[in-house]
Amino acid sequence: NLKVIGEDTTYTIRKSLKVNSKVTTQLFSYYLDLSLFDLGPGDRVEYSFVVTDNDEINGYKSTTSSKKVYNVPEMDELDNLLTDQSEDLKNELDQALQDSKELKEKIKNMKSSLMNKESTDWKDRQSLQSLLDMQMELQKKIEKLQEDYEKNKNDQENFMELDEEYQEKMDMLQELMDELMDEELLELFKELEELMEDMNKNDLLENLEEMEMETESMEEKMDRTLELFKNMELDQKLENLEEQLRDLKEQQDELQEMTENKELSPEELSEKQEEINEKFDEIQKDMDEIEKKNEELETPRDMEFDEELEEQLDQDLQDAKESLDKGNEKKGSKSQQGASDKMQEMADDVS
């Protein structure tokens, strides 16, 4: 039995599973593709198993397992989860880039060292083995990076509403991720391992020359990948900022209506206004972070928030709170309207 519980709909699905009726104990597994249910933030899936015997004479008897629940995180939880995932991915990618630069430098130094020698020795073998070990570690990091990105991409596609432009960037990033460690470079390292048996200087130099060029190409791919990733991260934060501003405007409009209709006491109105003010404080922190991330780009965008508008909005929010504290709903309502209008303007500027 499977029950899907969503914001707009709830339904139950019953699925029969084949078992071997000739044995009393057996293991079974069943794969459930949750993407088929179009789950959104805050939705959940409850499931349990029912086993029925074949005692037709005395009447069929059933037993039901305990209920298990899969919860899709709420929107704010999902935002935090995806933000953490993105930050981890960016750090992994940045570390892989630094490692590839170090690998390229070691290849270059190894090549230079061999060129200045008449013949190779055991120290050279050790240095080459160190190169192979470094390559293996880098390959593991890239494979983990690819797996983590695929999970992040699936989470976004399954639970977030993505516009076509952002989806195209995600697909492009997937292609770049898949190409980070190409087959030609892997073949060169495999060849190097074989060449180490004879340690022929000329053969090794030829291999290292090709390897240096391929490593340079890998570094450039990583650099492009990291820059695209940072741009996508910025795009997502800007989109989240717009949503936060529009959502906060709706909350401010609702509170203004309550203020005008005197649906709550001045103390309750003031308390709710304080909650809105605190949410805008958090939005301002997000705006500061967005500006910081923009500066981290190789080519920062021509993007500046309207500081004067932000200060005026902040002042309207403070005035609304102070007026409500004094029991002046009329003046408080006017300030609330001003705050709402400026939230709308800020959201439009971001979009």
Side-chain angles (χ1 to χ4, degrees):
N1 293 333
L2 182 142
K3 186 176 185 181
V4 179
I5 303 172
E7 182 180 356
D8 301 319
T9 182
T10 298
Y11 55 92
T12 300
I13 297 173
R14 290 180 173 83
K15 179 77 176 178
S16 297
L17 304 180
K18 290 184 178 180
V19 295
N20 186 349
S21 60
K22 296 180 180 180
V23 297
T24 57
T25 302
Q26 60 186 287
L27 297 175
F28 70 91
S29 61
Y30 180 72
Y31 172 75
L32 181 65
D33 186 359
L34 293 178
S35 66
L36 298 174
F37 302 108
D38 194 25
L39 300 174
D43 293 350
R44 72 179 190 272
V45 176
E46 299 176 352
Y47 59 96
S48 60
F49 296 95
V50 180
V51 179
T52 304
D53 65 21
N54 60 354
D55 189 357
E56 185 176 1
I57 296 175
N58 299 310
Y60 299 115
K61 293 174 287 296
S62 300
T63 185
T64 303
S65 70
S66 60
K67 182 177 67 177
K68 304 294 182 182
V69 180
Y70 171 76
N71 290 299
V72 180
E74 296 286 352
M75 181 58 78
D76 56 345
E77 295 176 313
L78 194 58
D79 282 342
N80 291 335
L81 174 65
L82 293 174
T83 297
D84 290 344
Q85 284 182 359
S86 294
E87 198 63 31
D88 290 342
L89 278 168
K90 188 176 67 175
N91 292 336
E92 286 180 48
L93 185 52
D94 188 57
Q95 185 58 56
L97 177 59
Q98 299 310 314
D99 289 350
S100 71
K101 289 179 179 180
E102 185 179 351
L103 178 61
K104 185 186 71 174
E105 193 63 26
K106 283 188 176 292
I107 292 172
K108 185 178 179 180
N109 292 340
M110 187 71 219
K111 188 178 70 171
S112 177
S113 174
L114 287 178
M115 290 177 66
N116 295 323
K117 285 186 171 184
E118 290 293 328
S119 60
T120 59
D121 55 31
W122 65 273
K123 289 184 178 180
D124 296 322
R125 185 185 295 275
Q126 283 187 329
S127 297
L128 290 169
Q129 184 60 51
S130 176
L131 276 182
L132 289 173
D133 293 342
M134 186 179 293
Q135 180 271 331
M136 285 297 296
E137 285 301 312
L138 179 57
Q139 185 176 345
K140 288 178 183 177
K141 287 182 180 180
I142 290 175
E143 287 172 355
K144 182 179 184 303
L145 175 65
Q146 291 168 335
E147 291 173 3
D148 290 345
Y149 176 70
E150 185 173 358
K151 181 181 184 309
N152 178 266
K153 182 172 181 285
N154 288 336
D155 285 344
Q156 291 194 60
E157 290 174 340
N158 288 334
F159 303 127
M160 305 292 285
E161 294 183 8
L162 306 176
D163 60 41
E164 185 176 349
E165 183 180 356
Y166 188 80
Q167 182 67 58
E168 287 176 358
K169 287 182 180 180
M170 286 186 69
D171 294 339
M172 188 187 307
L173 186 57
Q174 180 74 69
E175 291 179 12
L176 288 171
M177 288 278 189
D178 293 341
E179 296 171 358
L180 287 180
M181 182 71 77
D182 60 29
E183 289 299 321
E184 191 167 348
L185 182 58
L186 293 175
E187 284 297 321
L188 285 170
F189 275 105
K190 185 177 179 182
E191 180 184 293
L192 175 61
E193 196 170 9
E194 295 170 355
L195 292 175
M196 285 172 62
E197 295 180 10
D198 298 326
M199 293 296 289
N200 180 282
K201 174 185 169 180
N202 291 332
D203 290 342
L204 288 170
L205 282 172
E206 184 178 346
N207 175 276
L208 291 170
E209 179 70 29
E210 293 182 47
M211 196 181 290
E212 184 180 1
M213 290 188 292
E214 286 298 323
T215 310
E216 176 74 31
S217 174
M218 178 178 65
E219 183 183 322
E220 291 174 357
K221 288 177 185 176
M222 284 189 181
D223 205 26
R224 291 199 306 272
T225 305
L226 182 58
E227 187 67 6
L228 176 57
F229 190 88
K230 287 180 178 179
N231 270 284
M232 287 177 59
E233 185 181 37
L234 185 59
D235 288 339
Q236 194 63 50
K237 286 190 174 296
L238 286 168
E239 184 177 331
N240 290 344
L241 175 62
E242 181 187 354
E243 290 177 2
Q244 286 176 312
L245 285 166
R246 295 196 190 284
D247 182 58
L248 195 60
K249 171 191 162 44
E250 288 183 10
Q251 294 178 43
Q252 185 66 87
D253 288 343
E254 289 173 4
L255 183 58
Q256 186 198 7
E257 185 176 346
M258 291 180 185
T259 303
E260 287 183 341
N261 297 333
K262 298 185 178 181
E263 296 177 22
L264 300 173
S265 69
E267 292 78 13
E268 290 172 317
L269 291 170
S270 176
E271 186 177 324
K272 288 187 174 294
Q273 185 63 55
E274 178 63 24
E275 291 175 3
I276 290 177
N277 293 9
E278 288 175 356
K279 288 179 181 178
F280 184 66
D281 289 341
E282 292 302 314
I283 287 177
Q284 287 179 302
K285 291 177 184 177
D286 291 341
M287 292 168 69
D288 291 339
E289 185 181 356
I290 287 172
E291 289 179 329
K292 181 180 177 182
K293 289 188 176 298
N294 184 49
E295 291 302 317
E296 291 175 358
L297 297 176
E298 289 183 6
T299 307
R301 303 180 190 180
D302 185 13
M303 180 191 73
E304 288 186 6
F305 296 121
D306 190 332
E307 292 185 7
E308 184 178 355
L309 180 62
E310 185 180 343
E311 290 173 2
Q312 290 173 353
L313 171 53
D314 202 31
Q315 188 62 55
D316 281 340
L317 292 171
Q318 291 180 38
D319 290 346
K321 174 70 169 59
E322 290 173 5
S323 296
L324 294 173
D325 285 341
K326 296 174 182 177
N328 191 339
E329 288 98 333
K330 185 176 181 180
K331 187 176 179 183
S333 175
K334 184 178 179 181
S335 296
Q336 288 171 334
Q337 181 62 58
S340 173
D341 292 343
K342 293 176 180 66
M343 288 175 191
Q344 177 72 53
E345 190 176 346
M346 285 184 70
D348 292 341
D349 288 345
V350 172
S351 63

